[in-house]
Amino acid sequence: MSTTDRLRQLQSLAEYAGNKMAKNPEVISLLLAFSLLFFSNQFGKNGGVIQSPKLPTPLFAVESPITDFHLGDLQAALEYIKQAETEVWMVMYYAHWDATSLETAQEYDRLSKAFRQVTFVAVNCWWPYGSCKSKVKPPRYPVIVGHVLGREGVQYTGIKRYDEMRAFIHRLRVPYSYIQTQQDILALRALEDTIVIAYFNFSATLSPRGLDSFHQAALSSLEKDPIQPTPFAVVTNVGLAMRLGLNQSKSLVLLRNFNYTIKFPLSERFKAANILSFVYGDSREQYTGWISPTGVKSTILATQIMSGPALVLFTNYREETGFHNNYYMLREVMLQYSRCRGNTTLLDEVISYIQQRRPPTPHTDGDSCVPPIPPPAEGSKPCCQSLASLDSFEVIRAKGNFCDICEQSSRSLYSHSPDYCSVTAGKSCHSLWPLFGSQVLGVPNSCNHLNNFYNPYSVCQLCCSRENTPHIPADNMDNIYMHTAGHGVTSSAVVLNRECIYCDSKSGRHPENYGHKYSSEELPDAPCRESYSDGQVEVLNEFMGLLCRANRSVNFFAVRKEYFSILAERLGVDEKIAQGVQDIAVIIDEQNEEYIFHPLDEDITEHSLRTFILNFTNGELRRNLTSANPTPRPADSCKTSSQTGCIVEVTADTFRDIVLDDSKDVLLLYYAHWCGACKRIAHMYLTLAQLFETSPDILIARINGDQNDVPWEFVPVSYPTIIMYPARHKENSIIYPRDQPITITHLVKFMIQHSS
């Protein structure tokens, strides 16, 4: 049938439909539907007028390191990955029209240029004619999955930005660390409140039974904790393993800062899924965590905040800066707050460990401190730790004795970033100093390999020489020492140019690492971090272990300010402050419908956070109220306005001064801009204002309840709501009857009946 014949057929059908409509109008809908079906069926066949969809263009440029399968050929992508012969590869499943995919593509492209030994692939998984759409079926776009040779894929669930995905790749390559000493365990405890430690017997093979399952469990944990994953570690020191209760190969324990250690049941099969269920079950403790919005509608934020009052710190976070991130200031404060439960000695060691690695706090002019030097740049291997013997005899006889502990490492043991050196972090070889510190004094100008402990990823070497003594203040010469946390070892050595110099030779304790309360005079000198006034000592004493004494406990969370400053803006923070460099702290008490900000004009420090939480616990803080700018008709304008009828616009800031003015009867209308009923009564409310404009003791006002937070006792249950606040008896406020129509007559009667 030709196209002309089809059109004639449609014309006949239309004439027939017209005749039938005259007699039976109800059949018009049925005939119209039939006509559309006929037309689409005839013209949709081969040779019709409908064109094939346009082929999508590649999302990534040809010169990009990313191989883009823009037609969704999943099988071709898999074949390409096999031929690449890399140990790690990343796959991004995208939709070429999706805005989030387009935005993520820029970060993904930048990432591919930073990792030349990682294969990067992108697949258009939306294109309906490609195999990816039918096989992968992603719930949303984009989806990024990391793969390690011989392991299951791990979906990246974190923030899709370069720095975050970069850290994810480092963790993919090194999902767990090797530990040898108690100091190493302490370093992990400082990161998280729950850590996973396993022991395997490497004497017979480098791949003992169970190690593959442990490796896969560590990889899979990255999906659950994209920002701050639970640390996984393998202990290589047999004696330390025995002390942890790891008495046989293929055994695992969960170490918790605030509770007893839990051992993986021997009756359970040592498989990745079982290990993961054990780690992330009810036994896992996490008292500081990240709030990370998913970008889609969910109840994650409500679930975390609704569990009780929450201190939320909006702060930036950079993986490579380690403990210098203010997230660890929050952890330090949390540990002090919770010091009443668990092993207080252990908690003191963890607190002290964090304090030693935090940057110095500004003090008075009389205080001084050697600031930490940032971690070495990427690729600077080996990394070395310089130590100087300050033994008085050696200084006089040989002009000093200096040693470098250098580590040649294939990777960083304690950071997922390759540009962070474990030695400069005070770990690994550094912790060996107490074992040989006294022996090197007489062995200058020599190098020795350190084989005290086994580590499959690094080799340590000690090199000593006699040099001129560095410049150290004379009054500190006899008061410098090095303290190894967890061992209580004191040595006549100082870590040069790495951390603050310790200023007390009699005690290894920090001011907040004590078993009883000190006065400011008794308080031991601290590393050059923080000066304690009498008031600060008092706050510190009251704050320690406050959790067990408070009527309501506070939870601790952090938010990535560089990505989610909009959350602070929605709480009422000015846009410039929310997007600036300053951290923001707020206590959110969702159950009592209040939130209270740490003073925005003050720097956030450990002491200020302690004071902030104490004041909240003692009920000495007022909630922050959002207040809109008074737009039409502020109170003063009604006095000078020549227009008849004036409605005073009330805000949260002016509520008490205007509504609770004891000399006036105030009729207040609560409204919202989206409220249709409010708009319908607006003209009547204005007429009411015109009727009472000559009454000096009566005020007609309104407030936008959607833009102004008023004290809870003045919050209405619905809009519109009209309340009369009589003069001299504000506590006897009267609500306009909800079952009574709002008319001029009823409003006037209500005013006359309840005014003073």
Side-chain angles (χ1 to χ4, degrees):
M1 182 183 294
S2 66
T3 303
T4 304
D5 293 336
R6 292 176 186 169
L7 293 176
R8 287 175 181 173
Q9 197 174 26
L10 285 174
Q11 185 178 5
S12 301
L13 182 62
E15 292 176 357
Y16 172 78
N19 295 332
K20 296 297 290 183
M21 281 190 295
K23 298 179 181 180
N24 302 294
E26 67 275 2
V27 301
I28 183 173
S29 299
L30 181 62
L31 291 176
L32 181 61
F34 175 77
S35 300
L36 293 174
L37 180 63
F38 175 83
F39 182 82
S40 61
N41 187 42
Q42 292 294 323
F43 285 85
K45 295 179 180 179
N46 293 334
V49 297
I50 299 178
Q51 297 181 352
S52 299
K54 184 179 178 180
L55 293 177
T57 58
L59 196 61
F60 299 92
V62 177
E63 61 272 13
S64 172
I66 301 170
T67 304
D68 189 353
F69 296 87
H70 62 286
L71 298 181
D73 192 343
L74 184 61
Q75 187 60 38
L78 295 177
E79 290 296 329
Y80 174 81
I81 291 173
K82 288 181 181 179
Q83 296 175 6
E85 297 182 350
T86 55
E87 292 187 1
V88 178
W89 61 91
M90 301 286 292
V91 182
M92 173 179 167
Y93 302 99
Y94 69 88
H96 62 281
W97 50 263
D98 176 59
T100 307
S101 295
L102 296 174
E103 182 181 1
T104 304
Q106 301 178 19
E107 305 291 328
Y108 194 65
D109 184 66
R110 181 185 172 193
L111 189 70
S112 67
K113 296 174 182 177
F115 291 90
R116 294 298 183 180
Q117 296 181 351
V118 176
T119 300
F120 287 84
V121 171
V123 184
N124 186 342
C125 219
W126 178 87
W127 181 243
Y129 302 103
S131 59
C132 182
K133 184 175 179 64
S134 60
K135 293 182 179 179
V136 178
K137 299 179 181 179
R140 66 180 67 91
Y141 299 99
V143 173
I144 298 177
V145 181
H147 297 264
V148 179
L149 185 63
R151 310 289 177 187
E152 297 177 9
V154 180
Q155 182 177 342
Y156 176 65
T157 57
I159 303 166
K160 294 179 176 63
R161 293 292 185 270
Y162 167 78
D163 289 335
E164 317 313 316
M165 293 190 291
R166 175 176 175 269
F168 174 73
I169 292 180
H170 289 315
R171 294 183 181 116
L172 272 181
R173 300 165 76 176
V174 188
Y176 60 91
S177 60
Y178 284 89
I179 60 174
Q180 306 160 353
T181 66
Q182 288 284 2
Q183 179 80 353
D184 298 340
I185 296 177
L186 194 62
L188 298 179
R189 287 185 182 273
L191 296 175
E192 276 292 329
D193 296 317
T194 300
I195 61 177
V196 186
I197 297 182
Y199 171 70
F200 301 96
N201 187 356
F202 290 95
S203 59
T205 175
L206 293 178
S207 299
R209 294 182 59 186
L211 184 60
D212 284 346
S213 297
F214 182 79
H215 193 132
Q216 183 60 55
L219 284 173
S220 300
S221 71
L222 301 181
E223 290 187 4
K224 298 181 176 293
D225 291 318
I227 298 181
Q228 189 72 25
T230 298
F232 279 65
V234 173
V235 58
T236 57
N237 185 323
V238 178
L240 180 59
M242 297 289 286
R243 290 195 292 273
L244 294 174
L246 301 171
N247 301 321
Q248 62 186 48
S249 185
K250 203 176 68 172
S251 55
L252 180 146
V253 293
L254 212 61
L255 297 187
R256 303 182 294 176
N257 286 344
F258 296 98
N259 219 319
Y260 55 87
T261 298
I262 299 179
K263 192 171 183 178
F264 183 80
L266 295 177
S267 58
E268 289 279 349
R269 296 185 64 190
F270 202 84
K271 297 296 182 182
N274 294 340
I275 295 173
L276 213 59
S277 299
F278 172 72
V279 172
Y280 287 93
D282 296 336
S283 301
R284 182 171 180 263
E285 295 179 342
Q286 187 178 33
Y287 293 101
T288 51
W290 290 95
I291 296 177
S292 182
T294 59
V296 296
K297 183 179 291 186
S298 69
T299 60
I300 293 177
L301 296 182
T303 302
Q304 292 174 313
I305 298 298
M306 283 297 292
S307 58
L311 172 65
V312 180
L313 178 67
F314 290 83
T315 183
N316 296 337
Y317 185 87
R318 295 182 60 195
E319 182 85 12
E320 62 271 18
T321 57
F323 287 95
H324 283 221
N325 289 295
N326 279 344
Y327 171 77
Y328 293 101
M329 172 181 65
L330 184 70
R331 273 194 59 75
E332 177 187 337
V333 171
M334 180 278 299
L335 290 165
Q336 293 168 341
Y337 178 78
S338 309
R339 190 181 173 274
C340 56
R341 59 185 176 189
N343 186 335
T344 57
T345 302
L346 171 62
L347 294 179
D348 287 340
E349 290 182 352
V350 178
I351 293 170
S352 178
Y353 188 93
I354 296 175
Q355 288 176 338
Q356 293 175 32
R357 284 149 185 82
R358 292 278 302 146
T361 303
H363 327 293
T364 61
D365 295 337
D367 297 319
S368 62
C369 187
V370 180
I373 287 181
E378 185 171 352
S380 59
K381 299 291 182 179
C383 57
C384 300
Q385 175 74 71
S386 298
L387 300 177
S389 168
L390 295 181
D391 183 273
S392 57
F393 175 75
E394 284 296 320
V395 170
I396 295 173
R397 184 175 66 86
K399 297 184 179 180
N401 192 298
F402 297 85
C403 295
D404 280 341
I405 303 176
C406 294
E407 178 182 22
Q408 181 68 47
S409 177
S410 60
R411 67 162 180 81
S412 176
L413 297 179
Y414 299 95
S415 171
H416 301 290
S417 173
D419 55 359
Y420 193 68
C421 181
S422 64
V423 171
T424 60
K427 308 180 183 75
S428 189
C429 305
H430 180 197
S431 62
L432 302 178
W433 175 266
L435 300 179
F436 56 75
S438 60
Q439 301 174 6
V440 301
L441 295 179
V443 192
N445 303 315
S446 65
C447 292
N448 296 297
H449 285 284
L450 306 176
N451 300 318
N452 305 61
F453 291 91
Y454 164 75
N455 191 311
Y457 289 118
S458 62
V459 176
C460 297
Q461 189 179 53
L462 174 71
C463 296
C464 298
S465 62
R466 299 192 188 279
E467 301 289 348
N468 291 330
T469 305
H471 173 70
I472 299 175
D475 54 350
N476 285 341
M477 181 66 75
D478 295 328
N479 295 322
I480 297 179
Y481 80 109
M482 184 188 75
H483 174 69
T484 304
H487 298 282
V489 179
T490 301
S491 174
S492 56
V494 58
V495 180
L496 295 180
N497 299 327
R498 299 298 185 191
E499 298 175 0
C500 278
I501 295 177
Y502 289 76
C503 306
D504 176 46
S505 61
K506 298 179 181 179
S507 172
R509 292 176 296 192
H510 286 266
E512 296 162 0
N513 180 11
Y514 52 77
H516 70 280
K517 297 182 178 180
Y518 289 93
S519 67
S520 58
E521 292 79 11
E522 295 172 330
L523 204 63
D525 292 332
C528 304
R529 276 182 39 80
E530 191 170 0
S531 293
Y532 288 84
S533 64
D534 290 342
Q536 290 175 328
V537 172
E538 183 179 351
V539 168
L540 185 60
N541 285 332
E542 187 177 357
F543 185 78
M544 280 291 191
L546 179 63
L547 170 66
C548 299
R549 304 191 304 272
N551 292 327
R552 50 180 180 172
S553 60
V554 175
N555 300 312
F556 294 80
F557 296 99
V559 173
R560 297 294 294 273
K561 184 169 173 286
E562 66 267 43
Y563 303 130
F564 306 118
S565 61
I566 185 64
L567 297 182
E569 294 178 39
R570 291 175 180 173
L571 292 174
V573 178
D574 182 81
E575 180 180 356
K576 292 183 179 179
I577 297 177
Q579 298 181 6
V581 298
Q582 177 184 346
D583 286 356
I584 300 169
V586 57
I587 293 178
I588 301 176
D589 189 354
E590 191 66 25
Q591 294 178 351
N592 293 324
E593 298 182 352
E594 65 179 10
Y595 52 90
I596 305 168
F597 283 101
H598 180 284
L600 296 175
D601 57 347
E602 296 181 9
D603 291 333
I604 297 177
T605 64
E606 292 91 334
H607 174 70
S608 71
L609 283 181
R610 290 190 287 262
T611 303
F612 184 48
I613 297 172
L614 270 174
N615 290 339
F616 171 77
T617 303
N618 296 333
E620 298 174 2
L621 298 177
R622 289 181 58 184
R623 64 176 290 201
N624 291 81
L625 303 177
T626 300
S627 181
N629 294 324
T631 43
R633 302 297 181 197
D636 294 338
S637 67
C638 282
K639 300 177 183 178
T640 59
S641 175
S642 59
Q643 183 179 349
T644 59
C646 190
I647 300 175
V648 176
E649 189 75 18
V650 179
T651 67
D653 291 337
T654 61
F655 186 88
R656 294 184 180 275
D657 294 336
I658 296 176
V659 178
L660 302 185
D661 183 356
D662 214 35
S663 64
K664 297 188 180 204
D665 295 319
V666 180
L667 186 71
L668 184 64
L669 167 66
Y670 293 85
Y671 74 97
H673 68 281
W674 46 262
C675 171
C678 301
K679 297 176 181 178
R680 287 196 297 270
I681 69 170
H683 69 286
M684 288 183 285
Y685 203 67
L686 179 60
T687 302
L688 183 70
Q690 293 171 347
L691 292 175
F692 287 91
E693 65 179 340
T694 59
S695 302
D697 297 329
I698 293 179
L699 193 67
I700 308 299
R702 69 174 187 171
I703 183 171
N704 188 330
D706 203 38
Q707 296 181 357
N708 292 274
D709 289 332
V710 295
W712 65 268
E713 62 268 26
F714 300 110
V715 175
V717 296
S718 63
Y719 301 120
T721 293
I722 300 175
I723 301 179
M724 179 67 173
Y725 293 92
R728 295 179 296 279
H729 298 287
K730 299 294 181 179
E731 69 279 4
N732 297 328
S733 57
I734 308 297
I735 300 177
Y736 185 90
R738 300 187 184 281
D739 57 350
Q740 189 176 81
I742 299 178
T743 64
I744 294 296
T745 302
H746 288 150
L747 285 172
V748 171
K749 288 182 179 179
F750 180 75
M751 284 285 296
I752 295 174
Q753 181 181 357
H754 298 292
S755 65
S756 60

